[in-house]
Amino acid sequence: MPGSSGRHVTGIILTALLLVLFFPASSPASLPLLGSPGDAYVFGADSPVTATHPAPQQTPDISGHIAVWQDQRVEGNYRERIFLKDLSQPDSAEQALTPDMSFQGHPAISGNLVAWQQRVGSTQQIYYMYLGGPGPFALTSPSQSQFGPAVFGSRIVFGEGGSRDHDLFMVDLTQGERVPVSATPGRNGQAAIDGDWVVWINNDEYNFSRPAVNDVYAKNLATGELRQITTDGGSVQQAQPDISGNRIVWSVNGSFNHSLFLHDLNTGQTINLPGSDYAERPSIEGDIIVWGKYWPEPKIYMHDLTTGITQPVSNAGGAYVYWPAYSSGHVIWSDDRDGMRVIYQNRMGERARELAERYKPELRMGPNEIFNPKPIEMMLGMPDSYLRKWGDENFEPVLNPSKDELASDCNDPGCYMDLAGDAVACGGGENSCRIDHGLTWSQYAKPYFKHQSEYPNTVYARVVQRSDGAGDETAIQYWLHYPVNNFPELLHEGDWELVQVRLNGDLQPYRADYSQHGGGTWRNWDKVEGQGDRPVVYVAAGSHANYFDAGGEKGKHSIARVPSWISWDATSASGRKPGYELSLLPGSDSESYEQPYEWLNFPGRWGEFTDARMCIEAGYRQGDRDGSPGPAFQHSWRHPFTWLPDDACEGCNDENAEGTDVQITAKSPVDIHIYDSQGNHTGKNASGGIDEQIPGAAYLEYPGLERKSIIIRGGSASDSYRIEIEGTGNGICELILTAPDRLLGEVDTLRYQAIEVTAATQAFLNLDSSKDFTLSIDDDGDGQIDVIKEPDASLNKIVDFTAPAAVSDLEVIETTSGSATLRFTATGDDGTIGTAASYDLRYLTEPVTEENWEHASSVPGLADPLESGLTESVSVDGLSAGTTYYFGLRVYDDAALYSQISNVAATTTKMPQLGWTIQRVYWGSWDDYYNRLLSIDYTMSNTGTGIAGFAAVQDSICIPATVYVVTTMPLAAGDIDPSSSLGLTLKYYVPTDVGSFTVMTYATCEDDAGRIYWFPGPLA
């Protein structure tokens, strides 16, 4: 009968497919893999291990971060001792392992066990001790000389014997038993141990008058297995083996050119280590091998077995570098660059790619920006994109050249890549300052939009370490290539821009450099807006110049050589943030780059060569509208640390040093120091480093400006400071002192001019509430004050030091799916008095705190504050639905002072959630029964928190497919409030041969922000 279904209809069936991926086994661990030249490790600054080194130091070893070495300094009655230092505490002092013993050498360390050879009478003995434990203890009796200890765990291996015949022995300190290691005749020595394996050199015909016959041997202490690794006889000399796990590395001298060989004990495979010419004394731990290179430039080198990359470790080297040792990211070695053999160190940082990923910029594009940074393949592969040569009629243009064809087909600066458009015509012609938007759209924007999805957004990264001897630092360069620069006054094809992050010797960021119109500006890192470690870059619309902020009035930035009446470089705080991939480039310069970087060799222009100029007479320059040269042919690539001058700093305190923080600025030749009342120091220290011990203090030096400054942010003259000046040479010095007194609400600015100084000059000034600004000068450094100098000029200003009070009643009064409205009471300019200057409202998906404030999203376009005590309301748009947000507010006054963060207000944005159930399955009438039209009544419910607007059934899919819905789709259901439902009916055609079927029904709705939701998911 029509009221019964007579059919079985099941609910929704979801099927999951399990995809199992099988990966091939990795390459044998002993074989170097192919690595990217750009993906090398980044090292810090190499420096002496000890602050003072009055005598030679040599034969170092390291385990973890504890370094040991033989030190020949004389202290009292003791000399030639073993010293050690904890490299994880660089400011700690080195110490003698056994302060009351002498004549020690060749230390070896494993964990906290140290062994060495000790001269006792006319023989050498092996001694040992555990760090922090009793000792030292003699390992052996003095019946014969012992030498060259090697340690692992509790095992000590050493040589013993006369001048011709040496044997190797092992003592396990947990057992105390002396076990023979070598069973071969001759001289056995240069032992190394790791786990159960001992390796050494055997010389069975030791004779000074003829070539040595020596080979590398290995023995397993657990099984007794003995292996002869090499069988080269007298043709070459093996030396200095080391072992880690199953790998043995040693040096081979053939024709006076040492190189390194690597043997895998598991596979029996031996290889010549790539890039190891003129190498000696290798050290291996895990996948890392280090060695000393003695010609043509003495340096320490490293090879990574996981990537196959060989790279220098030391920034510089002496006439001789020797005996490197590596452990846990620390490399130490003996170096004579200081005129005496001294132990140097360097610390391995992350790989270049890891650093580049950490600091990759967050781009915020200018208003209505069309183009994103794209890979060079886009310019090469666009339709009608040709390689051409300027002024050469005989050159046959090349359509869509490949990367390796660029330089080979046209290796000339007159070559250029040419997109299909006409850059000069799209720019309105050479003499026009107006863009032809129609041409620009048809010739550049439309083809770009059509093909942009074929090429992922890409930024090229390069990590380069300074090598000019002027300092120890690293630059991370981010090269951005835009297909077109469509700024009206400067439209041209191809646009290379640069964002650069600079790291100090400890691989910490201290500065960022942004390119702008052939030049650029820089800021100290603490003044760079950032999302985590990622600097925010405001990209100007069209020109793609990079800025540190969203600009002044209407987001515009002015350019010095362009008339002010031109609206130049628009940026936006709310600009879109395109994601992108990083492509890593080589860090070091090369005369010729190989695959896959061969495109860097192209000397021409990336964009049409026009020889046209800008239309602005003040900025006239022929060729301004040509495409840009590639990165490797730009000054900033070749000179990453000097392409921006010191005076291009943006955000540094001004040269006059007139501010609201304690600041002393000196124009050379002097060093400056400030001490607070607790004796904390800021300035250069005795070892040449920088102390910044005073809270809020920063030391700034601008070599190009011959200027040095110390700033104490938040400092006040009433806190009491002592300023000291030390001459560094002969000349005239000028001092500028900013002395705020926060208790009195005023700032004094003092200038001291024409001070004659020598290297012996010292000067002193006490900065306190007495306001005695006289400068005491000791001309000759004899401790007597020779001159009392008053300021040559002074200025007193009344300054606001009272910050606005924090808002305490911030609350969310209304929430939609995409917005939240907040309410609070205005505080004031000075505490709760007056009218503040601006608000900074931020939000996160976790509680807002001082620690994460810089990472929070800032709400743009806030209105100016109302008078203290009035009620404020702010609407925050662009939020995600169904998400919990936390809001915090800071209040700023017209002196840029700001309040503490307000109380945190939280809310969860609304979101619809559709669901439906089958209420009834039936034949609606006899006609429906005979026509096989089955009715199903559904109840559609909104179980979410927001209105489900324009709810509609989009489709209903049946299995088998011979069953199908006949109701016209989509079927509008209307708006459904939260916790409400409505009913609807669908009809299905069901053939007579179908006894049951499954149905999957898809529906959509919109939230109050117009965003569309699919339930249970998008229709495939």
Side-chain angles (χ1 to χ4, degrees):
M1 58 184 293
S4 301
S5 70
R7 303 290 177 190
H8 173 64
V9 181
T10 65
I12 299 171
I13 297 178
L14 301 178
T15 304
L17 298 177
L18 179 63
L19 180 63
V20 182
L21 301 178
F22 294 95
F23 293 93
S26 59
S27 301
S30 62
L31 286 176
L33 306 177
L34 180 61
S36 163
D39 201 18
Y41 279 105
V42 179
F43 283 86
D46 49 314
S47 59
V49 168
T50 60
T52 60
H53 27 269
Q57 303 165 347
Q58 54 193 2
T59 62
D61 197 15
I62 185 171
S63 180
H65 49 79
I66 304 297
V68 295
W69 66 91
Q70 178 183 336
D71 198 305
Q72 293 182 235
R73 70 180 72 185
V74 178
E75 295 179 348
N77 297 322
Y78 303 103
R79 59 177 297 174
E80 289 187 72
R81 291 172 297 161
I82 307 304
F83 273 71
L84 74 158
K85 183 171 180 175
D86 185 345
L87 299 184
S88 68
Q89 302 181 33
D91 295 331
S92 64
E94 71 272 15
Q95 57 181 307
L97 179 65
T98 55
D100 55 353
M101 295 180 70
S102 288
F103 306 112
Q104 303 165 340
H106 291 272
I109 183 171
S110 176
N112 65 340
L113 174 61
V114 183
W116 65 93
Q117 61 189 53
Q118 175 87 43
R119 193 172 78 191
V120 179
S122 60
T123 64
Q124 299 280 350
Q125 282 185 260
I126 304 301
Y127 274 68
Y128 71 92
M129 70 179 295
Y130 286 96
L131 300 179
F137 302 103
L139 185 69
T140 57
S141 64
S143 57
Q144 294 191 69
S145 282
Q146 292 103 27
F147 55 89
V151 296
F152 178 83
S154 60
R155 292 169 167 173
I156 303 177
V157 176
F158 56 92
E160 180 179 276
S163 61
R164 293 294 183 88
D165 294 315
H166 291 169
D167 291 320
L168 295 178
F169 294 89
M170 186 276 293
V171 173
D172 190 329
L173 297 178
T174 62
Q175 301 174 359
E177 181 181 1
R178 175 183 165 116
V179 177
V181 174
S182 59
T184 53
R187 185 175 180 136
N188 298 281
Q190 304 179 33
I193 179 173
D194 189 72
D196 290 327
W197 284 98
V198 179
V199 297
W200 69 93
I201 297 295
N202 168 253
N203 187 323
D204 60 1
E205 292 185 15
Y206 185 77
N207 191 315
F208 287 113
S209 63
R210 63 176 181 271
V213 179
N214 57 3
D215 284 302
V216 179
Y217 280 76
K219 184 176 182 179
N220 189 298
L221 298 176
T223 64
E225 178 188 3
L226 178 67
R227 296 191 192 180
Q228 183 175 349
I229 306 301
T230 65
T231 57
D232 296 323
S235 59
V236 296
Q237 295 189 35
Q238 333 285 337
Q240 305 146 347
D242 196 17
I243 183 171
S244 179
N246 60 292
R247 300 185 181 110
I248 303 171
V249 62
W250 68 95
S251 69
V252 176
N253 184 7
S255 301
F256 301 101
N257 177 7
H258 290 78
S259 62
L260 304 184
F261 281 75
L262 183 72
H263 179 84
D264 190 315
L265 288 167
N266 290 343
T267 65
Q269 186 179 20
T270 300
I271 63 169
N272 188 189
L273 203 64
S276 64
D277 288 348
Y278 304 101
E280 55 186 353
R281 194 75 198 188
S283 173
I284 182 172
E285 182 180 89
D287 294 323
I288 302 298
I289 303 172
V290 298
W291 65 87
K293 185 169 185 174
Y294 57 86
W295 190 88
E297 183 182 13
K299 275 190 178 183
I300 302 299
Y301 275 76
M302 183 202 82
H303 183 86
D304 186 351
L305 291 170
T306 62
T307 64
I309 295 175
T310 299
Q311 65 180 104
V313 169
S314 55
N315 304 118
Y320 198 64
V321 292
Y322 190 64
W323 211 291
Y326 170 80
S327 183
S328 302
H330 290 280
V331 183
I332 61 175
W333 67 93
S334 186
D335 193 308
D336 64 0
R337 74 179 72 177
D338 296 322
M340 179 185 297
R341 192 153 295 175
V342 172
I343 305 303
Y344 265 73
Q345 65 161 325
N346 205 331
R347 177 177 55 83
M348 179 189 295
E350 296 86 348
R351 293 187 189 277
R353 176 169 291 281
E354 293 166 355
L355 283 175
E357 290 284 354
R358 177 184 305 171
Y359 297 108
K360 62 187 291 189
E362 178 182 292
L363 306 178
R364 296 189 182 176
M365 310 307 289
N368 303 313
E369 172 60 57
I370 296 176
F371 301 102
N372 284 335
K374 288 293 183 178
I376 53 98
E377 284 84 356
M378 185 172 194
M379 180 165 277
L380 299 178
M382 288 286 284
D384 297 320
S385 179
Y386 281 89
L387 172 64
R388 304 182 189 276
K389 186 175 182 182
W390 177 262
D392 188 346
E393 298 180 355
N394 296 320
F395 182 81
E396 184 69 27
V398 181
L399 175 65
N400 300 132
S402 64
K403 292 187 296 183
D404 60 347
E405 289 175 335
L406 279 173
S408 60
D409 284 355
C410 195
N411 189 19
D412 187 283
C415 304
Y416 61 98
M417 281 303 306
D418 185 15
L419 293 175
D422 184 334
V424 175
C426 288
E430 184 168 351
N431 297 316
S432 173
C433 281
R434 294 293 176 262
I435 192 170
D436 186 326
H437 292 284
L439 272 182
T440 302
W441 168 258
S442 62
Q443 295 190 8
Y444 291 118
K446 186 176 180 180
Y448 172 82
F449 285 130
K450 181 178 181 180
H451 296 280
Q452 64 170 332
S453 62
E454 303 170 20
Y455 304 94
N457 295 341
T458 299
V459 172
Y460 294 95
R462 177 194 186 215
V463 180
V464 57
Q465 293 192 264
R466 191 159 195 167
S467 59
D468 60 6
D472 297 312
E473 59 177 315
T474 299
I476 309 175
Q477 295 190 326
Y478 297 93
W479 289 90
L480 302 91
H481 180 251
Y482 299 92
V484 177
N485 178 322
N486 62 321
F487 187 77
E489 285 77 20
L490 193 60
L491 191 145
H492 62 83
E493 296 179 359
D495 190 11
W496 282 101
E497 298 290 344
L498 174 63
V499 173
Q500 179 170 282
V501 176
R502 288 170 66 166
L503 313 179
N504 60 22
D506 292 324
L507 301 181
Q508 297 301 309
Y510 75 93
R511 168 175 159 171
D513 306 332
Y514 291 3
S515 69
Q516 298 161 359
H517 301 284
T521 57
W522 62 273
R523 278 190 181 185
N524 290 315
W525 188 254
D526 61 353
K527 294 183 180 296
V528 176
E529 181 182 348
Q531 300 293 315
D533 289 325
R534 299 181 59 187
V536 172
V537 180
Y538 293 91
V539 182
S543 76
H544 309 123
N546 301 302
Y547 292 93
F548 289 102
D549 54 49
E553 183 180 0
K554 298 181 180 180
K556 298 291 175 56
H557 297 264
S558 61
I559 303 299
R561 69 186 182 97
V562 177
S564 59
W565 51 266
I566 293 178
S567 59
W568 195 273
D569 279 353
T571 55
S572 172
S574 58
R576 59 181 176 83
K577 306 172 185 178
Y580 57 84
E581 299 177 358
L582 277 185
S583 178
L584 199 63
L585 302 178
S588 57
D589 290 329
S590 173
E591 293 183 1
S592 179
Y593 296 94
E594 298 179 355
Q595 290 185 345
Y597 314 109
E598 67 275 26
W599 59 272
L600 289 170
N601 300 318
F602 179 55
R605 300 277 180 159
W606 290 87
E608 184 180 1
F609 199 109
T610 66
D611 204 31
R613 62 174 178 86
M614 291 175 62
C615 64
I616 307 160
E617 291 297 333
Y620 180 99
R621 194 168 59 191
Q622 205 74 20
D624 261 338
R625 297 174 70 173
D626 295 337
S628 299
F633 292 87
Q634 297 206 26
H635 180 73
S636 47
W637 174 283
R638 299 187 298 271
H639 305 282
F641 303 98
T642 56
W643 69 279
L644 277 184
D646 288 320
D647 59 4
C649 176
E650 177 182 319
C652 300
N653 277 37
D654 61 270
E655 186 173 350
N656 291 330
E658 296 178 2
T660 56
D661 296 315
V662 170
Q663 179 172 344
I664 179 70
T665 295
K667 295 187 176 180
S668 293
V670 296
D671 278 336
I672 54 177
H673 306 268
I674 296 184
Y675 298 86
D676 67 9
S677 57
Q678 285 75 46
N680 296 314
H681 171 244
T682 294
K684 285 188 176 180
N685 54 39
S687 61
I690 303 298
D691 291 335
E692 293 183 340
Q693 299 169 352
I694 300 175
Y699 176 89
L700 303 173
E701 187 167 346
Y702 311 96
L705 303 179
E706 295 187 344
R707 185 162 64 99
K708 302 168 185 176
S709 293
I710 295 176
I711 303 173
I712 305 175
R713 295 180 176 87
S716 173
S718 57
D719 296 334
S720 297
Y721 298 98
R722 179 172 173 81
I723 297 172
E724 297 186 2
I725 312 296
E726 296 179 345
T728 59
N730 297 327
I732 301 298
C733 174
E734 178 184 357
L735 299 177
I736 307 171
L737 172 64
T738 303
D741 191 321
R742 296 175 185 273
L743 295 179
L744 297 178
E746 60 185 26
V747 176
D748 289 289
T749 302
L750 301 313
R751 289 177 176 272
Y752 305 83
Q753 297 174 332
I755 305 171
E756 294 186 6
V757 298
T758 69
T761 300
Q762 295 182 330
F764 312 92
L765 185 151
N766 291 320
L767 180 60
D768 53 36
S769 56
S770 70
K771 294 198 171 186
D772 179 5
F773 298 122
T774 56
L775 183 67
S776 300
I777 303 174
D778 175 3
D779 284 334
D780 50 12
D782 62 358
Q784 302 296 317
I785 300 303
D786 300 305
V787 177
I788 298 294
K789 184 174 178 61
E790 299 292 338
D792 295 287
S794 63
L795 174 67
N796 180 271
K797 295 189 299 185
I798 303 302
V799 175
D800 178 8
F801 287 111
T802 304
V807 168
S808 59
D809 61 349
L810 183 67
E811 61 176 337
V812 180
I813 59 173
E814 184 181 356
T815 304
T816 70
S817 64
S819 67
T821 302
L822 295 93
R823 182 172 60 196
F824 59 94
T825 303
T827 55
D829 178 275
D830 295 337
T832 57
I833 301 173
T835 303
S838 63
Y839 291 127
D840 187 358
L841 178 62
R842 302 193 180 197
Y843 59 91
L844 281 170
T845 55
E846 60 184 53
V848 178
T849 64
E850 290 285 353
E851 287 71 27
N852 62 25
W853 177 260
E854 292 300 325
H855 309 307
S857 297
S858 185
V859 178
L862 297 180
D864 292 338
L866 299 177
E867 185 179 350
S868 172
L870 297 180
T871 300
E872 302 262 27
S873 64
V874 176
S875 180
V876 182
D877 300 317
L879 303 180
S880 298
T883 304
T884 299
Y885 289 97
Y886 298 84
F887 298 87
L889 177 70
R890 266 193 168 133
V891 187
Y892 283 77
D893 67 11
D894 54 8
L897 301 175
Y898 55 84
S899 70
Q900 298 294 315
I901 299 175
S902 69
N903 66 296
V904 176
T907 190
T908 300
T909 50
K910 297 180 179 180
M911 183 175 179
Q913 180 73 40
L914 289 182
W916 52 90
T917 55
I918 297 175
Q919 298 297 327
R920 190 161 67 119
V921 181
Y922 59 98
W923 303 107
S925 64
W926 286 110
D927 287 342
D928 283 353
Y929 177 77
Y930 289 119
N931 293 321
R932 311 306 297 166
L933 300 180
L934 183 70
S935 295
I936 301 180
D937 289 344
Y938 292 90
T939 296
M940 180 178 288
S941 304
N942 180 6
T943 59
T945 57
I947 189 171
F950 304 102
V953 178
Q954 296 294 332
D955 206 348
S956 191
I957 309 299
C958 302
I959 299 177
T962 54
V963 180
Y964 53 88
V965 65
V966 296
T967 302
T968 301
M969 295 288 134
L971 176 64
D975 297 342
I976 308 177
D977 292 328
S979 303
S980 299
S981 59
L982 52 80
L984 50 86
T985 300
L986 300 182
K987 283 190 177 183
Y988 299 83
Y989 173 74
V990 184
T992 56
D993 60 345
V994 175
S996 65
F997 63 92
T998 61
V999 60
M1000 187 72 158
T1001 303
Y1002 295 87
T1004 60
C1005 68
E1006 294 183 12
D1007 64 18
D1008 49 31
R1011 290 172 291 206
I1012 297 176
Y1013 300 83
W1014 281 84
F1015 299 95
L1019 180 63

